[in-house]
Amino acid sequence: MRIGELADRAGTTTRTLRYYEQLGLLPARRAGNGYRAYDEEDLRLLRQIRTLQDFGFGLEETRPFVECLQAGHPEGDSCPASLEVYRRKLAELDECITRLQDVRAQVAGQFDRAVRARDGLAAEPSGQAPHCELANERAKE
């Protein structure tokens, strides 16, 4: 198949395919007429790359998976190098999740303090609730 058909079937652009060729992720084969020639295996490589990118992997992180497929393995993640990329990505994701949980806890703490202060439940150092004119006006109604 030619580059346009491959791009359509893979849901990408010809420009992207040329870029992948430059990076060595997609083989650059030429037919007798000089046009780029691709097959179903190339489509499989592209699908692997796209799936990993959808998961947040960078292009260089997809290389071991592509190389694994090109070596004839049935799946791109059946090689040790691919498994190592998975390990690194999982560690990265775990670190992000931990940071997000910390931020969430801080925001939840700020929210709780703000609600308590608004409702007059938080004591000032003097032992008195914070003064809010708007709250006092509503209490009179």
Side-chain angles (χ1 to χ4, degrees):
M1 77 184 87
R2 291 181 41 189
I3 193 167
E5 182 182 351
L6 180 63
D8 287 343
R9 290 185 62 192
T12 191
T13 65
T14 57
R15 183 177 180 164
T16 298
L17 298 183
R18 288 185 195 100
Y19 180 62
Y20 290 174
E21 278 185 9
Q22 283 181 325
L23 296 177
L25 292 172
L26 188 63
R29 293 185 301 274
R30 300 278 179 169
N33 59 8
Y35 292 122
R36 287 174 171 86
Y38 301 98
D39 58 23
E40 293 299 318
E41 189 60 27
D42 297 318
L43 180 60
R44 187 171 170 223
L45 294 176
L46 286 172
R47 287 184 174 148
Q48 177 76 76
I49 292 168
R50 300 291 300 231
T51 298
L52 292 169
Q53 283 190 301
D54 287 347
F55 291 158
F57 287 68
L59 274 177
E60 275 307 310
E61 291 174 311
T62 70
R63 188 174 300 281
F65 297 86
V66 169
E67 290 171 350
C68 191
L69 287 172
Q70 289 172 328
H73 294 273
E75 301 294 329
D77 58 7
S78 59
C79 295
S82 303
L83 296 175
E84 184 54 36
V85 172
Y86 274 153
R87 279 188 196 92
R88 283 194 311 265
K89 184 56 78 173
L90 285 169
E92 180 184 312
L93 290 169
D94 288 342
E95 184 180 321
C96 286
I97 289 167
T98 299
R99 282 195 320 258
L100 285 172
Q101 287 172 331
D102 290 345
V103 169
R104 189 199 185 286
Q106 291 174 4
V107 170
Q110 290 295 103
F111 174 76
D112 289 343
R113 280 187 288 284
V115 168
R116 291 178 61 77
R118 181 203 66 196
D119 294 342
L121 300 174
E124 288 288 316
S126 65
Q128 301 210 357
H131 181 70
C132 177
E133 293 297 324
L134 183 58
N136 289 337
E137 290 300 317
R138 286 191 179 153
K140 292 178 187 176
E141 293 176 357

